[in-house]
Amino acid sequence: MQAYFIGIDIGTQGARVILVDQRGISIASASRSFVFDERAREEQSPAVWWNACVELLDEMLNGLAADFDKSAIQAVSVTSTSGTVIPLDVNNQPIHDAIMYSDGRSAEQGKRIQEIALQHMKDGYTGFNASSGISKMLWFMECYPEHRGRIALWIHASDYMVGKLSGVYNTTDYTNALKSGYDVANLKWPAYIIDELGLKKEWLQTVVPSGTVVGRLQKDLATRWGLNEIEVIVGMTDGCASQVASGAVKPGDWNTTIGTTLVIKGVTKKQVVDPLGRLYSHRHPEGYWMPGGASNTGADWITVDFSSDILQWNQTAEKLIPTGKIAWPLLQDGERFPLSTPYARAIVPEQISKSELYAANLEGVACIERLAYEIIEELSDEKIAAVYTAGGGSNSEVWLKIRAAVLNVPIYKCKAASGALGAAIMAASNTYYASVTDAASHMTAMEKAIFPEVELVAKYEAQYQQFKEKLKALNYL
C-alpha cells in the first residue's frame, strides 16, 4: 500500500518541509530562510515560523501533480532546536517570543540549576547551562515577574508547531523534555523543579515517547491542503531527528555528523552517565538510550582556510597520508567533547606546508572522533561496531578513508540524513510501521560503505597514540 509522510524542520535560520513515501524516497520539498534582526540568536517570533511553514506546505502540497493521491498522506511530524522554549497563556498564545537555545542570558540560572540538580539527581541528567530550556524558564520568571501570573504552559519549539497543526500543545516528547529537567530514567518531572525552582506543576507538559500520535490535523488546514485529517506526531529535537534519518536507531548503532562541529549520537541498552557532563543521554522511544555529545571541532576550519578548490586539497591529501603529524584544528578556545577543557587551543605542527596541514587536520579530527568513541565505550561498557556518518564532512572520500582507518571500524555514509527526513520517519514510525527501528530500516539508505585499510590502520594506531600523548603533555587529557 502506497503511503506518504510529511516532515517539518524549523531551524535557527530557516524552515524546510519534505514529503516522502514509505521507503523514504523524497516526493517533494520546499524551504526558505527566515528574515530576522540581530536578536535572532536570543529571541524569535513563533508566528514567523508558523507563517513560513504554512507557505511552504502551500507550495509543496499545491504543487503536486493533479493525479497525485493526497489521501495516501498519512501523518506529519516536526523537528526543531533543543532548548528553545515558549511561555503560553490560557489561550495557547505566546506571552513572549521564543527564547532560543543559543541565548546566553540564562547562564547564571543554568549554573544555579545545575548545582541544585546535582543534589537531587544522583544518576540523572544534570548538565544544565545557558542552552537548557529549564534555564530559560527560570530566567524569564526572574526577569519578567509581572508575566508570571499569565503563564499557563511552557512548551518547546517543535511543540508550538505541533500545536498549530493539531490544537494539542500540552504534550512533548522525551528528547525535548530532557533539557527542561524531565527525568527520562524514571519518566517524571522531578520534585526539585517545583520545590526548589518555583515552577508550577501545571506549567509542565505531559511527556510521551517520540513517535506518539498526539492528535489530528485541524479541519481548516486539512481543507486548505486537500488532505484528510491526518495524524500529527509529537515533535523531536533536531539532533535526534538527524540521528534517526541516518539510520542509527538500533543498540550498537552510532552516528557521526561532521558539519561546522562534530556531533556523535548513538543507541545503547544502558543509560550512559558521564560524571564530567561531556555526554548526555536522550531516551529512545523503544526504551533504549541515545547518548551523544557535540565537539567544538568539526569542518569549520575548512570553510575558514581551505574553502577554495576542496577537490584539489582532497586529491593532494590522498598522496600525503598518513602524515605522521600531530594536528588539531580547533578554531575557538576551549573544547567540550570529548574533552571538557575550556583552555584548550589548536595544535598546529611547525614547518608544515599548507597541503600537509590540510591532511594533518583531517587526521586530527579523526583522532578526536576516536577519542570520543573510546570514552563512550568506557562509560557504556558497550563496543562500537560501526559508524554511520552524515554532514558535509562525509563528502570527502579521503576523510572517510582516514576516519575508517583511525577508528578501525566500517563507516557507512548515509544517502540523506536531514532533520526533515527524520521528522518524516517519526511520522511513519507508529502509524504505518510498528516502531522507529522498523521505520528507519525501511526509510533510510546507505550511499556507500568504507572499510578500514589494514596498512593504514597500523600506521594510524601509532599516530593516534602520539596524538593522545600530546594532549596529555598539554594537560588537556
Side-chain angles (χ1 to χ4, degrees), residues 234-260:
V234 71
M236 196 178 208
T237 63
D238 49 3
C240 290
S242 295
Q243 177 183 343
V244 168
S246 79
V249 295
K250 303 184 303 296
D253 288 350
W254 288 88
N255 167 251
T256 300
T257 297
I258 301 181
T260 302

Side-chain angles (χ1 to χ4, degrees), residues 249-251 267-269 282-290 437:
V249 295
K250 303 184 303 296
V267 183
T268 55
K269 293 179 180 178
H282 283 292
R283 193 68 182 264
H284 191 285
E286 293 162 45
Y288 303 123
W289 294 90
M290 299 166 69
T437 300

Side-chain angles (χ1 to χ4, degrees), residues 248-313:
V249 295
K250 303 184 303 296
D253 288 350
W254 288 88
N255 167 251
T256 300
T257 297
I258 301 181
T260 302
T261 61
L262 182 150
V263 179
I264 289 177
K265 291 182 178 293
V267 183
T268 55
K269 293 179 180 178
K270 296 183 294 185
Q271 183 180 14
V272 179
V273 178
D274 182 4
L276 299 181
R278 297 160 298 183
L279 282 166
Y280 56 88
S281 290
H282 283 292
R283 193 68 182 264
H284 191 285
E286 293 162 45
Y288 303 123
W289 294 90
M290 299 166 69
S295 171
N296 290 336
T297 307
D300 51 354
W301 56 274
I302 296 176
T303 305
V304 172
D305 294 321
F306 297 91
S307 59
S308 60
D309 204 0
I310 293 294
L311 181 61
Q312 183 62 49
W313 290 118

Side-chain angles (χ1 to χ4, degrees), residues 25 53 60 99 118 124 138 143 162 207 214 239 260 264-265 275 294 347 385 398 428 449 456 473-474:
I25 295 172
C53 179
M60 182 177 77
I99 309 169
L118 284 167
L138 187 58
C143 290
V162 166
V207 184
V214 296
T260 302
I264 289 177
K265 291 182 178 293
I347 298 172
V398 67
L456 273 180
L474 293 168

Side-chain angles (χ1 to χ4, degrees), residues 169 186 211 291 298 300 362 414 417 447:
Y169 292 86
N186 297 301
D300 51 354
L362 295 179
C414 310
E447 184 176 309

Side-chain angles (χ1 to χ4, degrees), residues 23-267:
R23 295 164 296 172
I25 295 172
S26 178
I27 306 300
S29 64
S31 62
R32 71 175 49 183
S33 298
F34 298 136
V35 178
F36 285 121
D37 59 24
E38 65 278 359
R39 293 173 58 251
R41 287 188 61 80
E42 295 179 347
E43 297 178 8
Q44 292 186 12
S45 168
V48 170
W49 305 340
W50 174 244
N51 291 338
C53 179
V54 169
E55 291 170 5
L56 289 173
L57 288 170
D58 283 347
E59 177 185 334
M60 182 177 77
L61 296 172
N62 295 336
L64 294 170
D67 60 351
F68 184 87
D69 183 11
K70 287 186 178 181
S71 69
I73 299 176
Q74 294 192 3
V76 58
S77 191
V78 185
T79 182
S80 192
T81 53
S82 168
T84 298
V85 293
I86 310 162
L88 299 185
D89 65 17
V90 292
N91 297 312
N92 295 316
Q93 297 300 309
I95 296 168
H96 190 271
D97 278 347
I99 309 169
M100 299 299 292
Y101 72 97
S102 49
D103 180 3
R105 293 175 294 178
S106 54
E108 191 274 329
Q109 285 80 7
K111 185 177 180 180
R112 259 192 287 149
I113 293 169
Q114 183 179 51
E115 290 171 355
I116 293 169
L118 284 167
Q119 297 171 23
H120 296 273
M121 300 285 290
K122 301 302 180 186
D123 296 319
Y125 179 71
T126 58
F128 300 108
N129 53 36
S131 67
S132 304
I134 188 70
S135 307
K136 299 174 192 311
M137 295 178 196
L138 187 58
W139 173 85
F140 181 81
M141 289 161 54
E142 293 178 349
C143 290
Y144 297 95
E146 67 276 16
H147 293 317
R148 181 184 173 93
R150 297 177 59 204
I151 301 172
L153 189 68
W154 278 101
I155 66 169
H156 308 90
S158 63
D159 304 330
Y160 180 80
M161 306 302 291
V162 166
K164 295 294 284 186
L165 290 166
S166 67
V168 178
Y169 292 86
N170 66 345
T171 303
T172 194
D173 83 307
Y174 293 159
T175 67
N176 274 299
L178 176 71
K179 292 185 180 179
S180 290
Y182 186 73
D183 181 352
V184 292
N186 297 301
L187 304 182
K188 64 180 183 180
W189 290 103
Y192 79 84
I193 290 179
I194 297 164
D195 299 340
E196 302 285 338
L197 302 182
L199 275 76
K200 293 183 178 180
K201 187 176 181 180
E202 57 267 28
W203 294 351
L204 305 174
Q205 294 170 287
T206 298
V207 184
V208 298
S210 308
T212 299
V213 177
V214 296
R216 289 191 171 274
L217 186 64
Q218 299 208 69
K219 188 173 291 187
D220 61 327
L221 295 174
T223 300
R224 178 181 185 130
W225 295 317
L227 304 178
N228 295 329
E229 291 178 31
I230 63 174
E231 292 179 306
V232 179
I233 312 304
V234 71
M236 196 178 208
T237 63
D238 49 3
C240 290
S242 295
Q243 177 183 343
V244 168
S246 79
V249 295
K250 303 184 303 296
D253 288 350
W254 288 88
N255 167 251
T256 300
T257 297
I258 301 181
T260 302
T261 61
L262 182 150
V263 179
I264 289 177
K265 291 182 178 293
V267 183

